[in-house]
Amino acid sequence: MQKAPKPQSLIGSKLNNPSRRGFLRAGVIGSALLASMSGVSVLTGCSSKPEPSSLSASGGTAYLFLNKEDIVMVAALIPVIVGDSWPQSESAQTDAIGMTLERVDRYLSRMGAFNMKEIRQLFDLLHLRLARGLAAGIWSDWERATHSELDDFMASWRHSSISLFNNAHNALADIIGMAWYSNPVMAKEIGYNGPPDYVLQSLPQFQKV
Amino acid sequence: MNDIIADGLAGGWQVSRAGDYADNSVIEVDVAIIGTGAGGATSAEILSASGLNVLMIEEGKFRYQKDFKLDELDAFSGMYQEGTGRKTADGAISIYQGRTVGGSTTVNWTSTFRTPENTLKHWQSEFGLKGLSVDDMAPWFADREKALSMSPWLVPPNGNNAVLKRGCEALGFSAKTMVRNVKGCWNLGYCGFGCPTNAKQSMLVTSIPSALNKKAQLLSNARVERFRIVGDNVEELICTALDEDSNSSLSKQIKVRAKHFVLSAGAIGSPGVLLRSEAPDPYKTLGKRTFLHPVNLCLATMKEDIKGFEGAPQSVYSNEFLWKSGVTGPAGYKLEVAPIFPGGLSAQDARYGKRLSTRMKGIVNTNSMIALMRDGFHEESQGGTVKLRDDGSPVLDYEITDYLWEGLRRAYLSMAEIQFAAGAKSVSVVHHDAEDMQSWAEAKRKIAELPLAPLRAALFSAHVMGGCGMGENPKESVVNSLGEHHQLRNLNVIDGSCFPTSIGANPQLSIYGLAAMQATQLAKRLV
């Protein structure tokens, strides 16, 4: 946590100005503020399109929300978010990343236009090296950031006095945690086996037509 | 097993998606109802039975038994407002509302209560409501209880509910058995995912089929943008067609012309439509006094298996602290439990890393207790305000006052005390800064010191109420006791947004009963 530069230095002046409060409270993440201070709103127009299929685990399903840079970032954050649920073997890790990215994408793509716009702004900001370094303390590329740097980043946003960063932290942890643990494969690991067999066998919606 | 909906569709129900229509199509009916939840569907059933030509309009998708495959992510992202991403404007309270045919009734947990007598009396004395006394309302509640198979749940509570019962009994607190709206329930626990067996008597399998059998039409995947208002008359409404998944808009508009309009888009949704329509609001009451029953949460690690994902999600409640300090005194709260599924548990207070995985590995032994704050009965609890974002979507700005924080702190204490009395090994307040507590003595000390602030305490709401409040004085309300808009002659608002305060109980039967009364009066007026 010590290493992370204080985000206050970056936008403190705006936050201390009460007239900005309405702006800050604009939405779920409030990343309109992030966008305005970093010029991301300009860049949003040219951020890359959702990634077609190359990294999708479910065999060619196109991503609806995540683009190439998002995929790298989310993949880097997954092991930090899920703690001891992160599997040991490399092949299990690869499978887990693929499944989780696909589920993150599905979750995000159904959050409605307003939330999707905010998350797009947040993600785009975190792809900009300077903004990422100042706001998140991650100066390297996402894929080169160490586990402890990523952990420090989550901790600094969790404990930040700036609600914008708390909200962004909550969104990242919520989205990745939900995508991971709602996955029947991961849920089994912790003792949730899903609906009992007799339900799957007797209800029409589970029968193959 | 018969699927009432598949059978109805095969039998010629008039069901369509907005995308099926050509751009600029016009639909003409006697009554257009916006929303198919508790208020809209009950109204549709009653109005269509009286011979009126009714159109039900729903933003969500028409999902039913064939789609209810018990997948948590699919249910959460597909059947809730903003894919469960809805929050208050500052992000502090997560809001769960249905967005599917049947509205929240399709995904609720079946908990059934009549509007408490204290609440009805308070409405009469404070808001001058007419025809809504305890005696006036009793037959309407009885009617809906019968229609929707509401009866006490006689099956033993699941492990999660048993903790609440056992803890309350050990401490001498009240703990009672819930009434549920189910018929032939399999006691599986998936109410919040869309009932897989059609046992839950939600609007999806009761009032909506009943209306469709009376020649009502259902238009899904249609977002109502606004009314076109001339003087005191709603001329028409304008919808945008949404894609098959009800996710993004198609570039198609549909107009609906009707003699009368019923707005049942739920609190947040209904004020949102009126705000977008620039409806007359001479006293600036629209969207104000929106309530949430803000919920806080304590998780306990029990010695025994709890399996909070199995069995009726809510079957026990405690009103011990609901009215303890009087109707208008310090905040009262109702105690219940929340079902525990892996995705939902992981997302609750946005933990990450080892703290998250440790919690998740204990899921089988976890009890999840919740307190629902009764908001809107005190001068320091005036609720929030529904506003429009830049893109026209509605958002609730809700400030948690010191009055509510004080109640939330007492609620943490009550829950921890009950959990330890029920044999908890440890208790964890769901809060960013809280550590696990090993004894009631430790909990008392730590909860007293816990900093309570937005985005530190994890807060939730599944009960959004108000924003188009009822009252006989137009200066203090949006509609009258019949749900008739004070300024627009051919518009009723019939849903939870009419409530002038929160209910103080899970609100589905309050909405059904009120809607049955209001729609019956409306039918008399229109036929």
Side-chain angles (χ1 to χ4, degrees):
Chain A
M1 264 184 72
Q2 292 300 323
K3 277 179 289 177
K6 282 206 168 66
Q8 285 89 333
S9 59
L10 188 62
I11 52 174
S13 59
K14 278 186 177 175
L15 286 154
N16 291 334
N17 177 349
S19 69
R20 303 299 300 182
R21 190 166 177 264
F23 196 20
L24 188 66
R25 290 163 63 92
V28 174
I29 297 186
S31 57
L33 182 62
L34 282 172
S36 76
M37 71 182 198
S38 66
V40 166
S41 50
V42 180
L43 294 173
T44 305
C46 51
S47 69
S48 29
K49 290 271 176 289
E51 185 64 13
S53 65
S54 57
L55 283 162
S56 174
S58 53
T61 314
Y63 284 113
L64 298 167
F65 183 90
L66 297 178
N67 63 33
K68 210 175 253 178
E69 291 165 303
D70 301 337
I71 288 168
V72 172
M73 178 182 75
V74 174
L77 284 169
I78 289 170
V80 178
I81 304 281
V82 305
D84 293 346
S85 293
W86 183 240
Q88 298 290 321
S89 87
E90 213 165 289
S91 70
Q93 292 175 355
T94 308
D95 288 351
I97 291 275
M99 286 188 287
T100 307
L101 284 170
E102 186 270 322
R103 298 172 71 81
V104 165
D105 185 67
R106 184 147 39 111
Y107 192 22
L108 289 176
S109 67
R110 287 174 165 184
M111 277 199 175
F114 190 87
N115 294 326
M116 286 165 71
K117 192 176 124 206
E118 283 206 333
I119 290 166
R120 168 72 19 243
Q121 289 174 341
L122 172 68
F123 282 14
D124 282 352
L125 176 87
L126 288 171
H127 299 328
L128 297 175
R129 184 179 295 267
L130 181 64
R132 177 170 70 240
L134 289 170
I138 308 270
W139 293 94
S140 65
D141 293 338
W142 281 107
E143 63 264 52
R144 273 193 280 276
T146 65
H147 193 283
S148 87
E149 281 171 340
L150 294 166
D151 195 71
D152 287 350
F153 152 60
M154 287 298 288
S156 71
W157 278 22
R158 182 181 182 87
H159 298 292
S160 170
S161 58
I162 297 172
S163 62
L164 170 62
F165 292 132
N166 292 159
N167 273 318
H169 158 279
N170 291 354
L172 289 171
D174 171 339
I175 290 160
I176 294 172
M178 168 67 87
W180 180 280
Y181 287 108
S182 68
N183 181 343
V185 178
M186 311 307 184
K188 237 177 208 132
E189 297 283 320
I190 56 171
Y192 169 73
N193 295 316
D197 284 344
Y198 75 89
V199 170
L200 303 181
Q201 281 156 18
S202 52
L203 289 174
Q205 62 267 45
F206 297 107
Q207 310 315 314
K208 291 208 175 83
V209 185
Chain B
M1 177 184 286
N2 285 338
D3 179 353
I4 182 173
I5 293 170
D7 293 350
L9 289 169
W13 279 350
Q14 299 181 75
V15 171
S16 56
R17 288 183 300 219
D20 301 339
Y21 287 80
D23 190 20
N24 286 317
S25 295
V26 177
I27 302 174
E28 293 196 47
V29 289
D30 293 331
V31 184
I33 300 175
I34 299 126
T36 60
T42 303
S43 302
E45 177 178 19
I46 290 166
L47 294 168
S48 58
S50 70
L52 292 158
N53 181 12
V54 169
L55 172 69
M56 298 177 269
I57 304 169
E58 169 60 47
E59 182 179 13
K61 187 177 164 176
F62 193 0
R63 287 177 172 242
Y64 56 99
Q65 189 184 14
K66 72 173 174 56
D67 304 300
F68 297 157
K69 295 187 178 172
L70 314 182
D71 179 275
E72 192 178 7
L73 184 66
D74 183 58
F76 278 27
S77 62
M79 288 197 281
Y80 290 78
Q81 294 287 350
E82 303 180 48
T84 65
R86 176 167 278 187
K87 294 181 179 199
T88 50
D90 61 358
I93 307 179
S94 295
I95 297 174
Y96 299 97
Q97 283 181 291
R99 182 180 180 273
T100 187
V101 170
S104 295
T105 76
T106 301
V107 290
N108 76 13
W109 300 338
T110 73
S111 307
T112 300
F113 301 90
R114 290 189 180 193
T115 314
E117 294 193 1
N118 283 337
T119 302
L120 289 172
K121 286 177 184 161
H122 182 76
W123 289 359
Q124 247 182 316
S125 66
E126 293 301 308
F127 303 93
L129 297 190
K130 292 180 188 159
L132 290 170
S133 71
V134 174
D135 290 342
D136 290 331
M137 288 307 296
W140 297 106
F141 293 139
D143 172 69
R144 291 294 98 188
E145 284 161 353
K146 188 161 172 251
L148 304 176
S149 303
M150 293 167 159
S151 60
W153 182 242
L154 300 175
V155 177
N158 71 359
N160 202 25
N161 284 275
V163 171
L164 176 59
K165 186 167 194 279
R166 194 164 70 236
C168 283
E169 284 171 355
L171 294 165
F173 296 160
S174 155
K176 291 188 175 158
T177 300
M178 288 229 194
V179 170
R180 305 181 63 223
N181 56 321
V182 292
K183 202 153 100 181
C185 173
W186 291 23
N187 197 26
L188 296 175
Y190 290 91
C191 307
F193 295 51
C195 177
T197 64
N198 283 338
K200 174 163 65 173
Q201 298 298 288
S202 69
M203 294 293 95
L204 183 64
V205 300
T206 59
S207 297
I208 291 170
S210 166
L212 291 167
N213 286 336
K214 298 280 183 191
K215 307 288 179 213
Q217 304 171 58
L218 171 63
L219 178 69
S220 68
N221 305 58
R223 183 169 61 225
V224 172
E225 299 293 350
R226 62 188 180 278
F227 294 124
R228 193 166 65 79
I229 295 167
V230 177
D232 65 352
N233 196 60
V234 179
E235 302 278 317
E236 61 185 10
L237 64 77
I238 295 147
C239 311
T240 299
L242 303 177
D243 66 359
E244 195 183 339
D245 213 21
S246 196
N247 229 349
S248 46
S249 14
L250 306 169
S251 43
K252 262 187 198 180
Q253 284 200 335
I254 297 168
K255 290 177 178 170
V256 177
R257 296 189 185 132
K259 296 188 188 86
H260 203 91
F261 294 84
V262 175
L263 184 53
S264 309
I268 299 184
S270 287
V273 170
L274 289 171
L275 287 166
R276 285 198 296 273
S277 309
E278 297 178 0
D281 181 23
Y283 305 106
K284 301 293 161 215
T285 50
L286 178 59
K288 304 277 170 56
R289 292 187 59 82
T290 300
F291 302 103
L292 288 174
H293 284 160
V295 164
N296 60 350
L297 179 58
C298 270
L299 299 176
T301 300
M302 308 302 294
K303 298 180 189 91
E304 72 278 17
D305 278 6
I306 296 296
K307 296 190 175 174
F309 38 77
E310 284 180 7
Q314 293 193 319
S315 57
V316 175
Y317 67 97
S318 174
N319 281 356
E320 180 72 22
F321 304 96
L322 187 56
W323 307 102
K324 201 155 203 151
S325 313
V327 175
T328 58
Y333 45 90
K334 189 179 190 80
L335 297 175
E336 298 175 348
V337 301
I340 302 162
F341 287 92
L345 182 66
S346 76
Q348 274 169 354
D349 63 344
R351 283 183 175 204
Y352 69 92
K354 200 174 163 64
R355 275 163 59 89
L356 174 63
S357 55
T358 303
R359 169 178 288 173
M360 296 311 297
K361 286 177 181 183
I363 189 170
V364 172
N365 302 94
T366 300
N367 161 255
S368 175
M369 203 169 286
I370 56 175
L372 297 78
M373 311 303 299
R374 182 169 55 78
D375 52 345
F377 291 79
H378 188 276
E379 60 180 16
E380 288 174 49
S381 178
Q382 297 294 316
T385 301
V386 176
K387 296 175 177 171
L388 297 181
R389 296 157 168 160
D390 292 347
D391 67 354
S393 61
V395 63
L396 175 62
D397 195 347
Y398 187 101
E399 188 193 350
I400 304 152
T401 57
D402 288 346
Y403 167 88
L404 285 174
W405 284 124
E406 188 278 331
L408 288 161
R409 191 186 301 277
R410 270 187 287 115
Y412 282 134
L413 287 165
S414 302
M415 291 190 280
E417 185 175 21
I418 291 166
Q419 287 170 319
F420 280 116
K425 285 200 289 189
S426 69
V427 168
S428 165
V429 169
V430 182
H431 183 292
H432 273 13
D433 308 314
E435 299 295 334
D436 290 0
M437 304 170 298
Q438 314 302 324
S439 70
W440 168 227
E442 184 190 3
K444 254 199 296 200
R445 196 175 66 248
K446 284 200 170 152
I447 291 170
E449 293 164 358
L450 200 61
L452 295 184
L455 298 170
R456 306 320 291 165
L459 299 173
F460 306 87
S461 170
H463 304 160
V464 194
M465 300 155 285
C468 298
M470 290 183 288
E472 291 302 318
N473 179 356
K475 292 183 178 172
E476 296 169 351
S477 52
V478 176
V479 298
N480 67 17
S481 307
L482 293 177
E484 296 166 339
H485 194 276
H486 284 309
Q487 285 85 30
L488 296 169
R489 55 156 208 92
N490 63 337
L491 174 69
N492 278 53
V493 181
I494 302 184
D495 61 15
S497 73
C498 292
F499 299 155
T501 65
S502 74
I503 295 291
N506 308 48
Q508 67 165 339
L509 180 53
S510 294
I511 304 174
Y512 298 137
L514 188 65
M517 183 278 278
Q518 291 175 332
T520 302
Q521 296 298 326
L522 178 61
K524 281 184 192 160
R525 190 181 134 193
L526 296 178
V527 175

